[in-house]
Every structure is written in C-alpha cells, then in structure tokens.
Amino acid sequence: MLFQKKYVPYVAVVFLILVSMIISACVGPNDVKIELGQNSKPIEITDVTGRMITLKKPAERIILQWSGAGGPFFTISALMGKDTPKVIAGMDTSLQDYRADMWKHFTDELPELAKIPVVGTVGDKTFNVEQIIALKPDVIFIPLDLKSQYESDAKDKLDAAGVQTIYIDFHAEKLESHQKSIEAIGKALGKEERAAEINQFYTDHVTRVLDRVNKLDKPKPTVYMEVGMNGPEEFGNSFSGNYSWGALATMCGADVITKDIIKKSSPINPEFILEKNPDIIMIMGSYWPKKPTSMRLGFEANQEQSQALLKAFTTERQGWDQLKAVKNKQVYAVNHALPREVFDAAVFEYLAKTFYPEEFKDVDPEATLKEFYDRFLPYSYSGIWFMHMK
C-alpha cells in the first residue's frame, strides 16, 4: 500500500504528458499555424475617399479633429462607451469651445475626458504635429473638409511617424458617407459588430424619412433657417440648399429660400426675408453664454427662457411680426449641435415632421434621440433639443 501511494503522483504526471503529446500530434502543425494566422489577421479599412488602410491590430490610441461637430467624437463614444477616454490620445477644443454645455455634461459623467491632451486644430497655428507624434497614436481621424489643409501641413510627417490617417465625412449629410464613416471608425477600433448596430439604427431611421418624403405629391413649404448665435439684434448665418442645414431641409422636402443666393453659409440682407415671406422659420440654438440673447437649447436650456429667447426674434426684428410664419405660429428652434453627427437621424425626423406634420404625425424625433443616447452613448440624456414657439 505504501508503494502504491508513493508512486501514484508520478504515474498521474506521466499519464498527463502522454495525453498532451497525443492531442498535439492529432492537431498537427498546420492547425496551429491557422489559429495563429487568424489571431494576427490584419484589419483592412476603406475610408470615405476609397483609400485602403491596413492596421496590424485595433487602434488603441487615436487623435481626433472637429470634436464639436462633423468629427468622430460621438461615434467613438457610441462604440467605446465608458472606455472612450482611454482610446483618445489627443483632440481639438471645438467641443469645449462651441458646445460648452455638452462638454460640461460629458466631463461631469466621464471626468477622464477633461484630462485628454489638446493637440489643436488643422488649419490654424494650434495644430501641434510634434506633440501628436510624441503621443504615439495609431490613427488620426480627419474630416474630409480638412483633407487639403491637413495634407499640406501635416500628413507627410505623421506618415513618417507611422500614424495612419483615416478620412471620415459626416459634414456632407449623405447617408452613404455616414455609413462609411461609422464602419471605418468601428473597424479601426475593433468594434465592427457595434458599428454595424449603430449603422443599422441610423440607416433605418433616415431611410424611413427619405422614402416617405420622396413619395409626397404636394407643394413644398418655403423655409428660412438661421443660426441664432448673435441673437435677434444681428443676423446669423443662413445656408445654401446643398450645405449643412440647407441640405438637410432640402432632403426633407422643404424649399429653402436662401438656396440660390448663398454659396455655403453666410448672413443675408434682412429685406430678403421680408420679401420672400417664408411659410416656416427655424432658428438654430446651442449654448453661447457670451451672448445672452442668443438662442439657447441643449443641456443647459429650460422651456421658459428658451421660449422667450425664440419669441424675441419675432418681436424685436423689424417687420417680422407681419411674416406669414410668425402669424401662423410656424417658428421653430433646433439645436445646432445635432447635424453632422452619428445621431442626426433625429434631425431628419424633426425637419420632415415640421414641414409635413400630418404625414409624419407618427414620428417622435425626441424619442429617437433619447433612444440613441440610452442604447449607445455613455452619457445621460436631458435638456431641450427641439422647440416650437408657443
């Protein structure tokens, strides 16, 4: 009995070694190579320009531009959730400069965002290529509108440092551009399935709007759109029919009165609005605290104050009290931060519902925006993003 007890452990070890050898022989060297090959398979990404970018592994450190609008910040947030600050190695300041309420809300809930290094913005003297290289990023996401300036100022140096450039485009407000941008960012971060889910949400909501608009057979409402950053005392930017808010309104079935007199965006002669007498007026709001009379919407807005600010545009501007839109209570406000983003499907819904209330009475844009926050973003939803003047 003593002999058996002494040698049982040794017999067990020998047995395990023999079993492992048999399993290894059955698997064979080819199967091991296949497994290793799958684990090290490169990531191939096609950006919005059609360029092919290859990454050896998902990007762990990225640089972004245009965080305030038209950049990848919200898409990255939707893909990475609470890990968002971990993957952003550096960013510009447009989110904190021009969307101050958003920045405050997001940094309150994810304080690590405030610690991300500032690398400046392409096209001005703040863009610090040397700092970016020192941060050792894997990828930099560049909005297509910055492509020419970026390639003139920085791309060669970043290429030489091994930083991959991926072009994205949310600014064009084209469904295909949104889809390609979401997919490219998702692949780069190793979040393809999550990106596909986000893309499906966006595509379903937008195509439902556009399909319904394209089937309409009735006169288009005339619309005037203005960024309310300057308050009623100074006219803000309006838009052409194929740029920013003007492009969105056109796609959603409106006749933008400034479509032929503005190249992209600029203020117009106040007399022009009185002459055109639009059916609908839309004032874009945000959070511009340096201008107390500016149109305020977003996380820091409240109904009473925002209603008063919106009404001031109609009472303090000469002749506006006689406009058709004002008399018929067809004056609206939308948050200026909503377009050019991964969640702007809600904007398509709001515009279409504003232009064609009966045809879109079953659509709830605010519910769509809230659902996107709840399903995808690591930030809570609150505030006022859409408003109809009472």
Side-chain angles (χ1 to χ4, degrees), residues 241-253:
N242 56 9
Y243 185 79
S244 187
W245 283 104
L248 283 167
T250 300
M251 284 188 283
C252 292

Side-chain angles (χ1 to χ4, degrees), residues 12-87:
V13 170
V14 171
F15 177 76
L16 290 173
I17 293 173
L18 289 172
V19 170
S20 65
M21 291 175 65
I22 292 169
I23 292 173
S24 297
C26 291
V27 172
N30 291 335
D31 293 319
V32 174
K33 287 179 181 177
I34 289 171
E35 183 178 351
L36 291 174
Q38 288 174 340
N39 289 338
S40 60
K41 185 178 180 180
I43 302 168
E44 294 185 343
I45 302 162
T46 303
D47 71 10
V48 293
T49 68
R51 293 169 59 251
M52 178 70 76
I53 300 96
T54 302
L55 302 178
K56 293 180 181 178
K57 61 178 183 177
E60 297 175 353
R61 296 176 61 77
I62 62 99
I63 302 291
L64 62 85
Q65 292 285 282
W66 278 10
S67 57
F73 176 82
F74 285 102
T75 306
I76 293 168
S77 294
L79 291 166
M80 301 303 300
K82 293 188 181 299
D83 288 333
T84 296
K86 296 179 181 178
V87 300

